[in-house]
Amino acid sequence: MINYNNKRFSAVNNSNNGETSHETVFHYKQVDSIVTAQYNGGKIIHGQLIGLVNEQGEIDMRYQQVNREGKLMTGMCKSKPEILPNGKIRLHESWQWTSGDLSSGQSIIEEL
């Protein structure tokens, strides 16, 4: 199982309807199968996520964030890990807003 504890990630790609960018930094914590993170940067003032990680390192999570427009946004995301040649983790994410327009998208974040 991949352990995400004390890992930091940044977005390298996102759909146009997403709010994370290369300026967004995620600080992950993990205890047993529970993953949490706080994040900010770019369009996001403050964000939090909570999820469950399985044996393959896939994360099923929910997130909430306040953006620079002062709006509270919520969503759900499924992340699949890829281990890069340098040993760092890349997460391929499929997400959907549960607030706003309820649209969905794809993003990639990589370990810093």
Side-chain angles (χ1 to χ4, degrees):
M1 178 189 285
I2 295 173
N3 190 316
Y4 293 97
N5 196 47
N6 291 321
K7 304 273 188 199
R8 292 176 48 228
F9 293 86
S10 181
V12 295
N13 191 13
N14 199 357
S15 300
N16 290 336
N17 56 331
E19 292 189 337
T20 62
S21 69
H22 69 279
E23 297 172 303
T24 311
V25 177
F26 297 81
H27 298 270
Y28 275 64
K29 299 288 184 190
Q30 181 175 343
V31 176
D32 299 321
S33 63
I34 299 172
V35 173
T36 59
Q38 297 211 20
Y39 56 97
N40 63 11
K43 293 181 179 179
I44 300 167
I45 295 172
H46 182 77
Q48 300 173 323
L49 65 83
I50 188 167
L52 295 171
V53 61
N54 67 18
E55 296 277 331
Q56 294 74 41
E58 299 170 344
I59 307 170
D60 180 12
M61 70 178 80
R62 307 296 180 268
Y63 58 90
Q64 58 190 7
Q65 61 198 38
V66 175
N67 62 27
R68 297 248 174 245
E69 297 174 9
K71 292 182 182 172
L72 175 63
M73 301 295 290
T74 61
M76 56 187 168
C77 178
K78 294 196 185 258
S79 297
K80 292 187 178 182
E82 171 189 1
I83 305 301
L84 300 174
N86 64 6
K88 300 229 177 202
I89 302 167
R90 174 184 289 156
L91 291 173
H92 298 267
E93 303 184 318
S94 297
W95 53 264
Q96 181 174 7
W97 293 113
T98 55
S99 63
D101 66 6
L102 307 180
S103 63
S104 60
Q106 306 285 320
S107 58
I108 296 174
I109 64 172
E110 289 185 2
E111 184 180 350
L112 298 173

